Structures are given as C-alpha cells and as structure tokens.
Amino acid sequence: MNEYKLQGLSCGNCAREMEEEINKLENGEGSRILYNSSKMVLTEGVDLKRVEKILSSDGAAILKDQEGDNDSHDHDHDHSHTNSSTMKILLGISTIIFLSAIYVDTQLDNIVPVLMYLTAAATSGYPTFIKGAKNLLKFKFNIDTLMTIALIGAFSIGEWKEGTLVAILFGVNELLEGMGMEKARKSMEELLKVAPKEAILLEGGEERVVPISSLKIEDIVLVKSGQKIPSDGVVQSGKSSVNEAAITGEAMPVEKGPGEKVFGGSINNEGVIKVRISKEYKDSSLAKILHLVEEAQETKTPTEQFINKFARYYTPLIMAVSALVMLVPPLLLDGDWGSWFYQGLAVLIVGCPCALILSSPIAIVSGIARNAKNGILVKGGVFLEQLGKIDTIAFDKTGTLTKGHPYVEETVVYEKENFFRIAGSIEKSSSHPIAKAVMKKISEDAESQSYSEPEEINTISGQGVSAVIDGKTYKVGNEKSLDFSVPSEVKRSIQTLKDMGYTLVIVSSDTEVLGLFGITDEIREESKEIIGDLYLAGIKNAVMLTGDHEKTAEKVAKQVGLTDYFASLLPDEKVSKVKELTSQGKVAMVGDGINDAPALATADLGIAMGKGTDSAIETADIVLMQDHLGKLPSAIKIAKRVNKIIKINISLALGLKLIALLLTIPGLLTLWIAILSDMGATILVTLISLTVMLGEKQKLINK
C-alpha cells in the first residue's frame, strides 16, 4: 500500500465516487480515498497516471512536497489556503459583476446585461461546468453534472438572473463545505503536531542533533528546558517536572527523577535531564496513539455506512422525480411546458447529496480530536458512536475504583506500648505490599517510634511472620497464627473487622493479642464524584465486577454509589456476567487492559485505564491515558453530543430538501430556493458539527 496526501478534496460524495472509479482500475481494488484526513491509499501496481486523471476530473490532486516526492510524511506548511483564497476572490468578482448586471438590466434592454450574467456565472462556476461537461460525456451523473444541466436549461429558457445566482450560490456552498471539513482536519493536524522531530543524542561525550527516527534503544539523549522528550525512556540523571498532556491530557506537571519512566512527546519544564531510550519512536506510546488517532478518523460508523449507501440511490431517484415534474403536468394536467421544465431543473439541484454526506464526518473527527486532546484515545468513529449509546458501565474494582494497593483503614490497639513497636520491628525490612501499608500507618500514628532489631525472623506458610525480639517470640499474621485461647472481646473485634470487609493483620505474642490492623484497598477519593457525574451524563447503571469477597465489594459499592455489585468472580465468571448485562442493554466494561481483557472484549465497548501502557492501548476500544476515571464522564458527554448532532444534521439535510421538493406541488420551487435549501443545509450541518470542538461551557445540543 502507498499513501498520498491530497489537496482540493472538499466534497465527501465526490471522494466516494472517485474511490469507486479507482477501484475499477487494474490492480485498483482495495484502494481508498480518506476524505476525513484528505489522504489516499493505493494498492500496489495501480497506474498512478490514471489515478491522477480521475482526481483531476474532480478538482483534486496528489500533493507534492518541495522535492516532488509523493510520500506521506508530515508537512508543517499549509497547502490548502491557495484554493480557498482563489475561490473567495472569484466569488467576490462574480458577485460584483452580478450586482452590476442587475443594475444595468434595469437601465438597458439589450445584450449587455446577458453578457454580464454569463460572465458572472462563468467566473464563479467554471470548475463546475468543466467537470459537469466531462461527466455528461461519460454519462456520469453527480452534483456537478446536475448543476451543469440545470444552468444550461435555465439559460436556454432565458432565466439569466436566476441561473447566475444559482452558479454563485453553488460556488459559495462548495467553499463553505470545503472550509468546514478543513477546520475539522486542522484540529486533528494540530493534535498530530505534538510529535517531536529531533533529539540531542549524547555520543562519546559529544552532543549531536539527530532525527528521532534514528534513535535506538539504550541511546542517551539530552533534554533541555522547554524541549520535548523524543521517545519513551527512563531518566538517567537530573530532575525536572514534565508536562505529559500530550499523552494523558493532564495539564498538571509530574515530577521526574533518576529511574523514573517518561513518555515521548512530553515536555521538560525546567532543568536538564538525560534520558535513556527504552523504545524506538515508532514503538513509543505517543507514536501508537497518533497512529491510532489517524486511523480512527476513517473508520465508518453504521450511520455513515447507511448515509453513503443511501446517497448512491438518492441522486438517480431525484433525476427520476425531475423527469416526472417536467413531463407529467404538461402531458396529463395541461400544464405549461416552460414552467414545469423550469420546476424540473430546480428539482435537479435539490439532488445534491453533499450536505447529507457531510452530516457525520465533521462531527466524528471533531469528537475524536477533542477526546484525544483530553487524553482519551477513541479508536474509531464506530466506538465513539457506541460510547454515546452506553447505558450501563461495569467496573473492575482493583486499580479502577480503588488505588490498587493495600491501605490500613482501621486499627484496634490492646497494648499501646508494644503494638506499633513490635509490628514496625518485624515489618520494616519487608517489601511485601501489606508490610508497606502497615509501616505507613505506623509512621502516621506512632509518635517518634523506635524499633528493635529482631534476633531471628521466620516466615510461617499460610500464617504470617514470627520473630524473636528481646528474647520473646512475636507474630504478625492472620487468624491462623493465633495458637492460644483468644478473649471474647478480641474475638468480637476480629469478627467485626471481617464483617466490614477488611483483611486482618494480627500482632501477638505467645500469650496475648497486642492489636489488629484492618487492611483494605483504598478507594480513590474521586470515585464517588465520578460515579455521580456518570449518572448525570446519562448512564443508568454503574456496577462492579470483582474477585474480592462479598463484604469488601459491598463496602466499596456503598461508598462510591454503585447501583449493583457482583463479588467473588473468577475471570470466566466476569465474562458471563458481562454477557448477562449486555442482554439487558448497551454495556461498557472498564478495567486495566490486562487482567480484564476477556471481559473488555466481551462487552459492547471495552475501556482501559492505561496511562500509556502498551497492553491497555492494544486491548480496548477506548483508552483513558490517565491512571484514573476523571475524564470518562466528559468523554461520554462528547460522544452523546456527537450522536445527537449527527441525528440533527441528517434531519436538517433531508428536511430542507423535502420542503424544497414539496414546493413543486403548487409550482413554487425556484432555482434559487433549490440551491439555498442545499446551501442552508450545508452551512447548518457544518456549523453545528464544529460546536463539538468548543469547550464544556458551550451548551448547544449538550442536554
């Protein structure tokens, strides 16, 4: 496959027709024209000259860079302004000539006004005439062909003023259509510009500026203040705060020091750091994100597929209606041939499907780009559309609603003097997560605690740890570690903590219990607020699927405000539960992208919390590049807004045309009303779609 950048690609319907023609060429099957990103992908062996001929017939061309190559590399300069600027100038000139012709027409009754009308029409509409004439010779009927027939027909019956107005308005319509799509493309291009271009490579004690594509694993690069980190790596020396917004969408800087991971594309805020490259740029998190975002633009949603299929039959249907309007009233109802011929020409203009085809892509591209800027990677328009239809979200517990590491929430102390000292003396050298949680609690609660050095430490399988301190044996472990009779008060405390869903750590001597630690997985501070925001965003049910036992699940569900929970689930049982939920509605599963992969794949939509990890990017349909759920409610709002906008756009595009067609019944349809119905739809569809890129304060179609 070879990829090419295109210019002059301003019509979605034309792009579809050109793609069909290219597919008919020898070796052309499978080639694609990507309207949203203004690119073309050609299969090997297709004749490039014949492709260029097809493109030129519709006013598009392969973009050549300064060296004349046809590759797909990035260009920092804008190639699209020339066509639109020229079009604006021509439309301005033709409008002045048209207005002058109207004035002259009131003063003179000769050939001069007619010549001025023709000049104005030719100035604004000559690209359409040329394409339309070529299409007529090929018996290819698209909007250019229909417009050319309509204009020739209008001039042939002496409708000079209206024919010229139609030519000018059609030019304005095409200009607006192209500008609307270009605006959405530029939003995406700005997003793609976050990729760094060069790096300072340290080699033999010398600094050398090299392209990032030449960097290899284990290379050391120097990143100065304000520069972008060229690829994923590890800080070797230096300290700085790093802006990771390009990856996570989070504006707050993150402190980085030796041994800590950094993402390519993030910005070094201050100081100088040396980074050891851990991935070549093409394998970095940023490169994968940008590649997936580019691909996401071109995935067709079910709505888009329906529109494209509908457009194939729409124009021929309109032509048939036009013929009936021209022939039926004069032949069967004694109508005037001239009047109904004029009405039929107007119906032809209504046959333009451009506004209908434009109803979806601008909104989809805008939605994907806006989410990507927030650190939410939506892998395609189909997933964005699906996200807007979700009514149930199933969450994994650990690392999603909770922080994913042990935390001491409750302590019961029986012997204050020894409880913290003995626990700290035994656990201080352990790297076990529970030991770390205990030490953190001791540091918070015990004042200037001094520890003893154990004389010996032994791990007891299935129970915990025992140690000899000051000649006496102590234990830190679970209930099984207690080999003596426990007082009823202690038994009640143990049962209470178990009923509350805590994992128990019991500190004891050979004869008595010194105290208890109640361990749990700490709930994220923001979880309750986010669940509330999800309900406000239109989610009806938020449920939790966890392998933890019932009491822990119940506690978490109650604290964060879930509608339901399911505990003690094995991975295959999670899949079964997701299947059960999907039979009742549209379900999204949120997990870490690794352990929950089967459930993510089973749900209607898989959402992974990744913060740039490869596994998360590969697994899910949508990736939250942060390590929290904070951006999920806004992503759902954007998706719902995109879906609503597309429905409104389709209604407007078809509704205005239907009104125009109904005007033929009383014989009120005119050429300028026909073109205004299409232009009005195009303007409204474009402007409404672009509101997706506005901030949260923009309330249009948000409720």
Side-chain angles (χ1 to χ4, degrees):
M1 289 284 190
N2 297 309
E3 189 175 286
Y4 302 85
K5 187 76 176 173
L6 301 180
Q7 66 177 358
L9 195 63
S10 59
C11 168
N13 190 49
C14 302
R16 177 184 62 78
E17 290 178 345
M18 286 189 288
E19 180 180 293
E20 289 174 355
E21 293 232 0
I22 293 170
N23 274 275
K24 292 175 184 176
L25 297 177
E26 187 178 356
N27 301 318
E29 191 173 350
S31 297
R32 292 183 299 151
I33 290 182
L34 311 179
Y35 174 61
N36 292 356
S37 53
S38 200
K39 289 182 179 180
M40 176 176 64
V41 180
L42 293 182
T43 50
E44 294 290 341
V46 66
D47 189 335
L48 191 59
K49 288 185 177 179
R50 295 187 68 183
V51 170
E52 287 181 322
K53 190 174 180 182
I54 291 170
L55 294 172
S56 64
S57 68
D58 277 283
I62 294 174
L63 186 64
K64 293 180 172 63
D65 68 348
Q66 292 171 346
E67 285 75 36
D69 296 327
N70 291 333
D71 61 21
S72 59
H73 67 269
D74 293 331
H75 299 274
D76 292 328
H77 48 290
D78 181 18
H79 299 276
S80 63
H81 67 278
T82 306
N83 287 342
S84 61
S85 297
T86 304
M87 192 65 184
K88 288 175 188 175
I89 293 169
L90 290 175
L91 285 170
I93 293 170
S94 64
T95 302
I96 292 170
I97 297 172
F98 175 66
L99 294 174
S100 301
I102 293 174
Y103 174 76
V104 172
D105 204 4
T106 61
Q107 306 297 318
L108 302 173
D109 186 19
N110 56 29
I111 196 66
V112 174
V114 174
L115 292 174
M116 293 179 72
Y117 285 130
L118 288 172
T119 303
T123 304
S124 64
Y126 76 91
T128 302
F129 301 149
I130 293 170
K131 288 187 283 186
K134 289 179 179 178
N135 290 338
L136 268 174
L137 294 174
K138 301 176 190 175
F139 293 99
K140 176 184 173 183
F141 294 94
N142 61 11
I143 181 56
D144 298 311
T145 316
L146 300 181
M147 196 61 62
T148 301
I149 293 171
L151 291 175
I152 292 171
F155 291 146
S156 68
I157 60 175
E159 294 290 346
W160 307 106
K161 187 188 298 183
E162 286 203 32
T164 305
L165 180 60
V166 165
I168 294 172
L169 290 177
F170 183 68
V172 173
N173 188 51
E174 286 211 311
L175 178 66
L176 290 172
E177 184 180 340
M179 288 173 67
M181 195 63 224
E182 197 59 38
K183 178 76 174 173
R185 287 178 189 143
K186 282 185 177 179
S187 174
M188 188 63 73
E189 286 169 7
E190 285 298 317
L191 177 70
L192 301 178
K193 283 181 183 177
V194 300
K197 301 288 188 294
E198 296 175 329
I200 302 174
L201 177 65
L202 295 178
E203 219 171 30
E206 295 184 0
E207 298 178 11
R208 186 160 57 92
V209 178
V210 298
I212 60 165
S213 58
S214 68
L215 292 177
K216 296 179 176 59
I217 296 173
E218 298 299 322
D219 279 350
I220 305 296
V221 296
L222 190 71
V223 186
K224 299 177 181 178
S225 175
Q227 291 183 336
K228 291 178 181 177
I229 295 169
S231 188
D232 293 1
V234 177
V235 177
Q236 188 178 51
S237 65
K239 288 186 176 181
S240 181
S241 65
V242 173
N243 184 338
E244 296 182 339
I247 303 293
T248 67
E250 303 280 19
M252 292 298 293
V254 181
E255 296 296 325
K256 298 288 183 179
E260 293 190 284
K261 293 180 180 180
V262 289
F263 295 118
S266 51
I267 300 170
N268 179 21
N269 287 331
E270 73 274 332
V272 178
I273 56 175
K274 291 181 182 178
V275 176
R276 186 177 75 254
I277 300 299
S278 60
K279 292 180 183 176
E280 293 183 19
Y281 176 72
K282 63 183 175 64
D283 298 321
S284 69
S285 299
L286 180 64
K288 287 182 178 180
I289 290 168
L290 298 183
H291 176 67
L292 288 169
V293 168
E294 275 200 294
E295 282 192 337
Q297 297 178 74
E298 301 303 335
T299 59
K300 299 295 184 193
T301 68
T303 303
E304 284 183 291
Q305 290 171 350
F306 170 76
I307 289 171
N308 286 337
K309 189 174 182 180
F310 178 76
R312 287 190 178 95
Y313 303 101
Y314 178 71
T315 301
L317 177 65
I318 288 293
M319 290 183 68
V321 172
S322 173
L324 290 173
V325 169
M326 289 179 181
L327 299 173
V328 172
L331 290 174
L332 302 180
L333 304 173
D334 200 27
D336 179 66
W337 281 97
S339 297
W340 287 104
F341 180 74
Y342 174 85
Q343 292 275 305
L345 293 177
V347 170
L348 278 180
I349 296 174
V350 178
C352 172
C354 296
L356 182 63
I357 288 176
L358 207 63
S359 60
S360 181
I362 295 180
I364 290 289
V365 172
S366 299
I368 290 172
R370 175 138 180 239
N371 273 319
K373 287 176 183 176
N374 287 338
I376 300 160
L377 176 58
V378 183
K379 291 187 179 180
V382 63
F383 304 122
L384 185 69
E385 185 177 280
Q386 191 78 293
L387 182 62
K389 297 177 180 178
I390 293 297
D391 53 34
T392 299
I393 299 184
F395 295 94
D396 174 45
K397 178 183 76 71
T398 306
T400 305
L401 297 171
T402 64
K403 292 183 177 179
H405 51 76
Y407 164 75
V408 177
E409 190 166 294
E410 291 287 341
T411 56
V412 179
V413 182
Y414 296 113
E415 191 180 321
K416 191 172 183 180
E417 285 185 16
N418 283 325
F419 175 55
F420 287 121
R421 183 179 70 85
I422 296 300
S425 297
I426 295 175
E427 299 283 49
K428 63 184 175 66
S429 58
S430 174
S431 60
H432 194 281
I434 288 181
K436 289 181 178 180
V438 168
M439 291 307 299
K440 183 181 178 183
K441 182 65 175 177
I442 292 172
S443 67
E444 291 172 355
D445 286 16
E447 298 176 7
S448 60
Q449 183 67 58
S450 60
Y451 304 116
S452 301
E453 197 63 41
E455 295 169 26
E456 59 178 276
I457 295 181
N458 295 304
T459 300
I460 305 171
S461 179
Q463 294 185 15
V465 179
S466 70
V468 177
I469 300 173
D470 300 330
K472 191 173 181 179
T473 301
Y474 293 94
K475 294 178 182 178
V476 175
N478 56 30
E479 283 183 88
K480 294 178 182 178
S481 67
L482 299 176
D483 52 8
F484 55 87
S485 180
V486 177
S488 58
E489 179 191 352
V490 176
K491 285 182 179 179
R492 282 196 299 271
S493 295
I494 289 173
Q495 191 59 46
T496 299
L497 291 178
K498 287 170 64 178
D499 289 344
M500 293 172 69
Y502 292 117
T503 298
L504 291 184
V505 173
I506 303 171
V507 182
S508 65
S509 66
D510 281 338
T511 58
E512 63 179 334
V513 175
L514 305 181
L516 313 171
F517 290 105
I519 309 276
T520 187
D521 185 0
E522 187 176 5
I523 296 173
R524 292 176 181 270
E525 297 86 352
E526 71 276 6
S527 289
K528 184 174 182 180
E529 183 182 351
I530 290 167
I531 296 300
D533 289 342
L534 288 172
Y535 293 141
L536 291 175
I539 298 301
K540 296 176 183 177
N541 301 300
V543 303
M544 180 174 65
L545 309 179
T546 178
D548 268 353
H549 52 77
E550 183 79 16
K551 291 294 181 181
T552 301
E554 182 183 10
K555 178 185 173 185
V556 173
K558 186 178 292 185
Q559 286 191 17
V560 302
L562 299 175
T563 52
D564 207 349
Y565 67 90
F566 303 94
S568 304
L569 297 177
L570 297 172
D572 60 320
E573 291 174 324
K574 282 189 179 182
V575 171
S576 299
K577 186 56 66 176
V578 169
K579 286 180 180 177
E580 182 183 324
L581 291 170
T582 54
S583 67
Q584 301 165 13
K586 293 289 184 182
V587 178
M589 174 71 193
V590 183
D592 62 10
I594 306 170
N595 300 329
D596 296 303
L600 289 171
T602 304
D604 295 306
L605 199 65
I607 303 175
M609 293 174 60
K611 201 170 184 180
T613 58
D614 292 343
S615 55
I617 293 174
E618 297 294 334
T619 304
D621 307 316
I622 295 175
V623 182
L624 308 178
M625 300 306 293
Q626 313 86 24
D627 61 350
H628 58 77
L629 297 168
K631 301 290 181 74
L632 183 57
S634 69
I636 291 172
K637 286 179 184 177
I638 291 169
K640 286 182 177 292
R641 190 166 159 191
V642 167
N643 286 354
K644 190 166 285 189
I645 281 172
I646 290 171
K647 289 177 183 176
I648 290 172
N649 285 348
I650 293 171
S651 300
L652 283 170
L654 291 176
L656 287 175
K657 290 180 183 298
L658 179 61
I659 291 169
L661 289 174
L662 289 174
L663 289 175
T664 59
I665 297 172
L668 298 177
L669 182 62
T670 62
L671 292 175
W672 65 270
I673 288 177
I675 191 65
L676 278 176
S677 72
D678 185 64
M679 188 173 79
T682 299
I683 294 171
L684 288 171
V685 162
T686 301
L687 292 178
I688 293 172
S689 295
L690 291 175
T691 63
V692 177
M693 292 189 289
L694 300 179
E696 287 298 325
K697 291 182 180 179
Q698 169 66 9
K699 298 298 182 184
L700 180 64
I701 320 173
N702 196 33
K703 299 277 185 172

